[in-house]
């Protein structure tokens, strides 16, 4: 175990209580994206949606009772299409609903094509202190392939502006693109780290059902690196980021020690979070049980529901203890810090099978951290779904 992991374990806070706000609108739909995002060719009534967010937050406050918020995340869609006044109204509504200590992490996702200096300054004044930029690639050919509206020059301008405006900066890159070699990815990754972000989210390109890439890929219009090639690109990712001081703290996320995403750690440490907005999900304790909420996806329908009954939640469930344990395992083993064995036993009512655990350790897929935690090894991370399924049996 590295000193970095040990340090994060020593200073780990409770899993947290996060607030997620989903802004569902985009200027264009990316061909790889299966998130709940919608293009509107007429101006969005932001005042109406701000009021709806405020109403749904108040309803969620009635369900959760008083809590202390540990992070706020404005995701999408493209939240950088929001007016600063809209962002400010949402953050004010969160503060009216729960206790919001000064200085907590407040993240806003932004696309380089929708970045403006005045708007960034407005977000900062509203309370945003961390920006996550959807850069995705650092060459124009691949940006066009990915359907992005910005070019590399615009991305670099956005990165520079974000560094000057916000205390913390993250940006995303997608790898395992068609024809991408390990050498080319290593060079691109080195370049990205040179732009002084304290956090990088590095995602392998996957073909998701229902996306334009899904139909194009099925028709043989392009190919992506196969299993062995993708594994080599993943290995390059781990090696380069670790050598440059941004080790992986989660399968796809890399940060300087102390710069990890507080909000995303709440998900992976199986904390609680409220989700508001079209298509948003939430998981929080209500009357001693963990409930799941799922909101209506269509933005205008969601707003109508909120105006009619105070929320846009159309689905959800109360999780069984076994389901909680399975989710805890699936989320926690994504982390370099692994999972707390005692918490797993508390949720599941049982420990792991010693025989199965022994086999997984012999195969080099999991490893203990002291006597109290278990983590997936780098080899185990590549086949994590199978590892989780084996442990949970």
């Amino acid at each position: 175990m590295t000193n970095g992991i040990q340090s994060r374990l020593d200073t780990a806070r409770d899993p947290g209580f996060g607030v997620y706000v989903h802004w569902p609108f985009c200027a264009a739909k990316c061909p790889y994206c299966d998130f709940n995002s919608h293009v509107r060719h007429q101006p969005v009534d932001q005042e109406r949606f701000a009021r709806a967010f405020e109403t749904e937050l108040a309803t969620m406050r009635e369900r959760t009772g008083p809590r202390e918020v540990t992070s706020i995340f404005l995701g999408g869609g493209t939240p950088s299409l929001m007016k600063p006044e809209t962002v400010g109204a949402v953050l004010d509504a969160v503060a009216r609903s729960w206790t919001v200590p000064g200085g907590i992490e407040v993240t806003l996702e932004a696309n380089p094509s929708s970045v403006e200096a005045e708007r960034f300054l407005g977000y900062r004044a509203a309370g945003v202190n961390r920006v996550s930029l959807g850069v995705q690639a650092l060459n124009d050919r691949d940006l066009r392939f990915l359907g992005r509206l910005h070019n590399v020059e615009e991305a670099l301008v956005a990165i520079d502006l974000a560094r000057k405006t916000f205390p913390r900066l993250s940006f995303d890159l997608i790898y395992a693109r068609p024809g991408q070699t390990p050498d080319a990815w290593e060079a691109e990754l080195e370049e990205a780290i040179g732009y002084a972000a304290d956090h990088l989210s590095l995602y392998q390109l996957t073909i998701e059902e229902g996306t334009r890439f899904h139909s194009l890929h099925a028709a043989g219009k392009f190919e992506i690196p196969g299993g062995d090639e993708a594994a080599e690109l993943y290995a390059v990712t781990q090696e380069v980021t670790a050598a440059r001081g941004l080790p992986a703290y989660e399968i796809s996320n890399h940060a300087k020690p102390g710069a990890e995403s507080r909000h995303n750690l709440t998900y992976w440490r199986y904390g609680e979070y409220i989700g508001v907005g079209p298509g948003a999900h939430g998981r929080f304790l209500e009357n001693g049980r963990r409930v799941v909420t799922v909101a209506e996806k269509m933005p205008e329908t969601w707003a109508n529901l909120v105006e009619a009954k105070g929320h846009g939640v159309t689905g959800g469930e109360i999780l069984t203890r076994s389901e909680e344990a399975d989710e805890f395992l699936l989320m926690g083993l994504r982390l370099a810090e692994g999972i707390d064995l005692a918490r797993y036993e508390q949720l599941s009512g049982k420990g792991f099978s010693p025989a199965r655990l022994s086999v997984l350790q012999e195969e080099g897929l999991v490893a203990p951290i002291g006597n109290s935690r278990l983590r997936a090894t780098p080899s185990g991370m590549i086949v994590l779904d199978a590892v989780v399924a084996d442990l949970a049996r």
Side-chain angles (χ1 to χ4, degrees):
M1 181 173 59
T2 69
N3 290 336
I5 295 174
Q6 182 65 60
S7 174
R8 288 197 290 276
L9 290 177
D10 290 343
T11 59
R13 298 169 59 188
D14 66 278
F17 179 82
V19 175
Y20 175 77
V21 180
H22 190 79
W23 183 257
F25 302 108
C26 284
K29 182 76 172 180
C30 294
Y32 56 84
C33 177
D34 67 340
F35 292 165
N36 186 43
S37 59
H38 303 264
V39 177
R40 295 291 180 265
H41 298 294
Q42 299 297 323
V44 172
D45 185 347
Q46 295 208 21
E47 289 74 16
R48 181 192 186 199
F49 277 89
R51 289 193 299 271
F53 285 132
E54 293 169 10
T55 299
E56 191 166 57
L57 284 164
T59 299
M60 288 299 177
R61 168 61 172 80
E62 293 174 4
R63 296 188 62 175
T64 67
R67 299 292 182 89
E68 181 172 289
V69 175
T70 52
S71 64
I72 302 169
F73 196 103
L74 299 151
T78 307
S80 53
L81 294 174
M82 299 168 78
K83 300 174 184 175
E85 294 82 2
T86 305
V87 172
V90 171
L91 296 181
D92 288 346
V94 174
R96 287 196 300 271
S97 298
W98 299 280
T99 300
V100 180
I104 67 163
E105 179 186 279
V106 181
T107 301
L108 180 136
E109 290 183 333
N111 278 343
S113 57
S114 61
V115 164
E116 301 171 8
E118 186 175 345
R119 185 170 287 181
F120 262 20
L121 290 171
Y123 296 148
R124 184 71 188 98
V128 174
N129 55 24
R130 182 177 182 270
V131 160
S132 178
L133 284 173
V135 174
Q136 312 308 8
L138 288 174
N139 72 71
D140 287 337
R141 181 200 63 195
D142 284 356
L143 285 173
R144 288 191 294 271
F145 167 74
L146 293 168
R148 305 300 287 168
L149 298 181
H150 64 274
N151 57 31
V152 172
E153 183 180 356
E154 289 169 321
L156 298 185
V157 168
I159 289 169
D160 185 60
L161 181 60
R163 283 170 50 198
K164 292 175 179 176
T165 309
F166 300 97
R168 296 178 61 195
L169 166 66
S170 175
F171 61 84
D172 301 353
L173 292 175
I174 294 174
Y175 68 96
R177 307 189 294 262
Q180 189 175 41
T181 66
D183 286 347
W185 173 230
E186 180 177 355
E188 186 172 355
L189 197 47
E190 290 278 4
E191 181 184 359
I193 293 171
Y195 294 128
D198 60 16
H199 187 287
L200 292 174
S201 295
L202 306 171
Y203 300 111
Q204 183 175 321
L205 178 61
T206 54
I207 307 301
E208 304 294 344
E209 192 169 347
T211 64
R212 189 153 61 89
F213 268 4
H214 186 267
S215 56
L216 291 173
H217 187 261
K221 299 297 185 182
F222 69 90
E223 294 183 2
I224 58 175
D228 290 344
E229 296 169 296
E232 188 175 358
L233 290 166
Y234 177 79
V236 167
T237 305
Q238 309 314 304
E239 292 164 9
V240 172
T241 54
R244 293 293 299 274
L246 282 84
Y249 69 98
E250 188 268 347
I251 288 179
S252 301
N253 286 272
H254 306 253
K256 295 177 181 177
E260 299 86 356
S261 167
R262 178 70 177 93
H263 189 82
N264 287 338
L265 280 173
T266 292
Y267 297 152
W268 297 318
R269 289 174 174 165
Y270 209 51
E272 299 176 70
Y273 58 96
I274 299 300
V276 298
H281 290 217
R283 272 170 169 73
F284 55 90
L285 295 176
E286 186 176 36
N287 300 318
R289 300 302 303 275
R290 187 174 292 260
V291 300
V292 177
T293 61
V294 182
E296 162 64 39
K297 288 185 175 182
M298 188 58 63
E300 292 77 13
T301 306
W302 170 83
N304 290 338
L305 288 171
V306 174
E307 289 163 355
K309 61 179 186 176
H311 65 85
V313 175
T314 55
E317 59 183 319
I318 300 174
L319 297 179
T320 66
R321 297 301 188 195
S322 176
E323 288 169 335
E324 283 191 82
D326 288 348
E327 286 192 345
F328 170 74
L329 190 59
L330 182 63
M331 299 302 285
L333 282 180
R334 297 175 64 91
L335 291 168
E337 69 183 32
I339 61 166
D340 183 297
L341 294 172
R343 190 174 176 207
Y344 177 77
E345 291 181 11
Q346 180 186 34
L347 289 171
S348 66
K350 61 182 177 67
F352 296 122
S353 160
R356 280 198 291 273
L357 194 57
S358 178
V359 169
L360 289 171
Q361 287 185 238
E362 289 173 5
E363 293 176 345
L365 299 176
V366 299
I369 303 176
N371 296 318
S372 62
R373 302 184 74 87
L374 183 75
R375 67 178 179 90
T377 65
S379 297
M381 289 284 192
I382 296 173
V383 291
L384 189 60
D385 287 349
V387 170
V388 169
D390 205 8
L391 283 171
R393 280 192 296 158

